[in-house]
Amino acid sequence: MEFIPLVITMRVLTISILLLFSTLLKAQNGVSLFHNARTTALGNSDITSHNVLSGSINPANMIIGHGLFASLGIQRSFLIADINQGSLDIGYRMKNDQAIGLQFYVYGNNIYSETMASLAYAIRIADRTALGLRMHGLRFSAPENKPEYAVTFTLGAQTVISEQFSLGMTTFNPVGFFRKERPNDLTSNFRIGLAYSPAPSVSLYTSANLDDAHPLNVAVGIAYSIKKKVNLYLSFMTQPAVIGVGIGVPFGRGFSIDFAGAQHLQLGLSPALNLNYLEVE
């Protein structure tokens, strides 16, 4: 009777150790870090998008929308109660084609935890082009060690090529990472993405993510809106192999809720939930 609990405990321990080392190198660069349920369902492929929710990946996309925006979400990694991620994203688009934002991110389990607070700014520099900057302050902690702190940033850009195509890019930690009394042990990251919208109700996304510690990761995603009442999402990424699915439902005036699941082909399912608000003109 003690065999099943032991197996479960070993599974939790094994996944926690994997996440510890992968998070130190990978989570902060946007590959596995939880942004919101929509981006989870799209495999983080939507770095160029006409949806303000993608501004959590690419700060240049904060220029989309009107007035106040807020998003609160949580993801349970691999259905393990002890491994959770959460995010709070607040932004405000001003009338002069500029936007500001504040983002909080938390990740934790019994072995390792991290917190990230970010300030963001975006500006439209041409009719169809925007730039964004997000400054990150990070805190890392483990039971056996003192907390450590770091500061870095993300740069983003988006340009609308035509009515159907748009191009975007982001880079995390491009000039290095500085941690007190420690060498740089986080990756530098570059991601480029393309969006194609053949119709107002359909958007196709693809992105390529390259960093200095992992193989090239390619993601493709599709978003489909059914009469603006239900949004459906589907995606696939290669490194690691993950299938994403999701559904979004608008309700009230400016509110929406998103449900998503990311199926890692080795570690299992990570469900996510998000509540969003976007000010309506």
Side-chain angles (χ1 to χ4, degrees), residues 227-247:
K227 297 181 179 180
K228 296 184 178 181
K229 295 182 178 180
V230 177
N231 301 313
L232 303 177
Y233 312 114
L234 178 65
S235 69
F236 178 77
M237 71 168 63
T238 59
Q239 295 290 341
V242 177
I243 298 172
V245 296
I247 183 171

Side-chain angles (χ1 to χ4, degrees), residues 63 92-99 121-124:
I63 208 70
Y92 184 77
R93 185 186 186 279
M94 297 172 280
K95 295 182 180 180
N96 57 353
D97 285 335
Q98 300 180 65
Y121 172 76
I123 184 171
R124 191 183 302 278

Side-chain angles (χ1 to χ4, degrees), residues 22 25-32 171-173 186-191 208-217 239-240:
S22 65
L25 291 170
K26 195 173 180 181
Q28 294 90 346
N29 66 21
V31 176
S32 58
T171 178
F172 170 84
N173 193 34
L186 289 180
T187 63
S188 295
N189 167 272
F190 177 80
R191 179 179 297 183
N209 183 81
L210 182 64
D211 62 50
D212 54 10
H214 303 91
L216 176 67
N217 179 35
Q239 295 290 341

Side-chain angles (χ1 to χ4, degrees), residues 59-64 92-94 96-100 120-133 156-158:
N61 294 347
M62 293 193 310
I63 208 70
I64 302 167
Y92 184 77
R93 185 186 186 279
M94 297 172 280
N96 57 353
D97 285 335
Q98 300 180 65
I100 55 176
Y121 172 76
I123 184 171
R124 191 183 302 278
I125 61 173
D127 289 342
R128 296 188 173 190
T129 303
L131 300 177
L133 169 67
Q158 175 175 258

